[in-house]
């Protein structure tokens, strides 16, 4: 199958809509969806007041796949939409991920229900424009919800282009990203000087550096925060492997370790959205469940951190 920006045949759209409807039952083993769209926690984007679902979907590695893996990923994306998910984050750095995402969204007919985010990762204005234009083609869209400067590469040049495109209506929001705590001071400098709509940073129970300065700064400046690496690249699951989930997590409607880690992050009111990556429907459902029910309060977060430290 060639992933080209072509129209999806009507028969393909009909089949895709059947898949979306079926995911509410078949993929859950015959059970109804765990919650309707309205029950998903949504957080406000400070720049506009728009609210988006607090658990999104990353595409690093998981969407960089061969054609044989597309049917399984189509089920993942369909289930994501059926359960109220919106934000899907990608990058030209992620191999085929943008093309795969664009193909699946077009096949399912779900573009209008998604909040598509991608990045520019190159140097120079002309090359940045070329790369961003390519992302529009790969994602099969005329407007992107969020364009970000990946790892701050040539951020001043690219943000200038993005602001022009934002005024023209080609992108709705602009932002900057980084995935490592060593760059947090540089990120802080960029936030103070450029005041982007969004910042994407690493934050988890294993990497809490952002708590001291970046999260409070984003709150003060009115910048939406997207969190990457919420499971510390799987290291958190390794630490609790074979250990039962504490019974007291029921106090904040937590039923799995994935929800434990995600609810800890979402308990930070500054966090707008968390983007765990997965290519498995059962993991997707588990992740999205973290955006339902109660969140831990300050006392409970302390207890969670202590429990993990003792693991």
């Amino acid at each position: 199958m060639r992933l080209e920006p072509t129209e999806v045949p009507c028969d393909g759209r009909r089949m895709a809509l059947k898949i979306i409807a079926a995911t509410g039952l078949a993929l859950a083993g015959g059970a109804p969806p765990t919650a309707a769209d309205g029950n998903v926690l949504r957080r406000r984007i400070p720049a506009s007041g728009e609210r988006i679902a607090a658990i999104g979907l990353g595409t690093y590695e998981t969407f960089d796949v061969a054609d044989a893996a597309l049917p399984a990923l189509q089920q993942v994306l369909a289930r994501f939409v059926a359960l109220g998910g919106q934000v899907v984050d990608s990058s030209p750095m992620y191999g085929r991920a943008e093309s795969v995402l664009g193909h699946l969204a077009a096949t399912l007919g779900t573009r209008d229900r998604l909040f598509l985010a991608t990045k520019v990762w190159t140097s120079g204005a002309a090359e940045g424009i070329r790369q961003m234009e390519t992302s529009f083609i790969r994602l099969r869209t005329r407007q992107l919800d969020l364009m970000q400067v990946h790892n701050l590469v040539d951020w001043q040049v690219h943000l200038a282009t993005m602001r022009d495109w934002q005024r023209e209506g080609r992108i709705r929001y602009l932002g900057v990203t980084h995935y490592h705590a060593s760059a947090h001071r540089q990120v802080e400098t960029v936030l103070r000087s450029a005041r982007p709509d969004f910042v994407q940073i690493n934050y988890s129970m294993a990497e809490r550096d952002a708590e001291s300065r970046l999260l409070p700064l984003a709150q003060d400046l009115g910048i939406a925060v997207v969190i990457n690496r919420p499971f510390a690249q799987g290291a958190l699951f390794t630490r609790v492997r074979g250990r039962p989930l504490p019974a007291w997590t029921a106090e904040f409607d937590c039923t799995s370790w994935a929800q434990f880690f995600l609810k800890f992050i979402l308990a930070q009111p500054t966090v707008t959205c968390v983007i765990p990556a997965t290519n498995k429907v059962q993991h997707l459902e588990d992740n999205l469940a973290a955006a339902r029910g109660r969140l831990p309060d300050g006392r409970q977060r302390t207890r969670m951190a202590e429990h993990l430290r003792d693991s």
Side-chain angles (χ1 to χ4, degrees):
M1 180 184 298
R2 294 180 62 205
L3 301 183
E4 299 290 347
T6 55
E7 290 296 320
V8 179
C10 291
D11 289 345
R13 287 191 183 276
R14 293 191 191 100
M15 182 60 67
L17 291 173
K18 289 180 181 179
I19 291 174
I20 293 175
T23 53
L25 296 171
L27 293 180
T34 56
D37 288 9
N39 293 334
V40 175
L41 173 66
R42 297 180 187 277
R43 289 274 168 84
R44 188 176 67 88
I45 299 172
S48 65
E50 177 184 358
R51 292 185 178 273
I52 55 175
I55 296 291
L57 181 63
T59 61
Y60 177 59
E61 293 186 342
T62 53
F63 274 60
D64 182 17
V65 296
D67 292 347
L70 294 181
L73 271 184
Q74 182 168 312
Q75 291 186 330
V76 169
L77 190 62
R79 186 61 170 160
F80 178 72
V81 171
L83 291 177
Q86 291 175 279
V87 179
V88 187
D89 179 81
S90 195
S91 171
M93 181 184 179
Y94 302 164
R96 299 182 79 213
E98 286 183 319
S99 296
V100 167
L101 174 57
H103 167 74
L104 295 179
T107 301
L108 291 167
T110 56
R111 170 63 187 95
D112 291 343
R113 298 178 65 180
L114 295 174
F115 186 102
L116 289 183
T118 193
K119 309 176 185 78
V120 56
W121 185 59
T122 189
S123 296
E127 184 59 23
I129 289 170
R130 185 204 63 77
Q131 190 175 83
M132 289 189 285
E133 294 283 10
T134 300
S135 292
F136 275 86
I137 295 170
R138 290 174 174 173
L139 291 166
R140 306 192 189 195
T141 188
R142 294 181 178 179
Q143 182 187 64
L144 278 166
D145 297 292
L146 172 61
M147 180 64 78
Q148 306 154 100
V149 182
H150 200 142
N151 294 346
L152 304 180
V153 175
D154 213 359
W155 62 270
Q156 291 171 307
V157 168
H158 300 318
L159 284 181
T161 301
M162 289 180 197
R163 293 195 192 281
D164 288 341
W165 287 14
Q166 190 176 45
R167 284 189 289 269
E168 295 167 5
R170 299 196 67 193
I171 61 174
R172 300 176 61 221
Y173 301 101
L174 55 85
V176 297
T177 81
H178 215 287
Y179 72 100
H180 202 278
S182 64
H184 283 188
R185 285 198 176 276
Q186 186 182 2
V187 173
E188 179 182 345
T189 299
V190 174
L191 296 190
R192 291 186 184 279
S193 63
R195 304 290 180 96
D197 303 316
F198 276 78
V199 61
Q200 182 183 141
I201 51 174
N202 60 304
Y203 176 58
S204 70
M205 293 190 74
E207 299 174 317
R208 297 181 60 179
D209 306 74
E211 287 180 356
S212 60
R213 297 176 66 93
L214 276 184
L215 292 182
L217 178 63
Q219 185 171 37
D220 290 345
L221 297 178
I223 297 172
V225 178
V226 176
I227 298 301
N228 59 45
R229 293 168 54 105
F231 303 134
Q233 294 185 301
L236 286 172
F237 290 113
T238 300
R239 290 177 63 173
V240 299
R241 184 173 294 134
R243 297 175 62 90
L245 191 70
W248 47 263
T249 60
E251 297 173 9
F252 46 91
D253 303 311
C254 177
T255 62
S256 72
W257 282 115
Q259 294 171 34
F260 185 92
F261 302 137
L262 292 171
K263 281 178 176 279
F264 183 88
I265 295 170
L266 289 177
Q268 289 276 7
T270 311
V271 171
T272 310
C273 182
V274 188
I275 50 169
T278 185
N279 56 10
K280 295 180 172 58
V281 170
Q282 63 270 30
H283 292 170
L284 174 82
E285 293 176 332
D286 193 21
N287 293 341
L288 287 174
R292 299 182 176 88
R294 294 166 291 181
L295 293 175
D297 58 24
R299 176 189 60 82
Q300 291 165 331
R301 287 184 88 245
T302 298
R303 189 177 187 184
M304 294 166 77
E306 291 173 346
H307 185 82
L308 183 65
R309 187 168 58 245
D310 295 339
S311 296

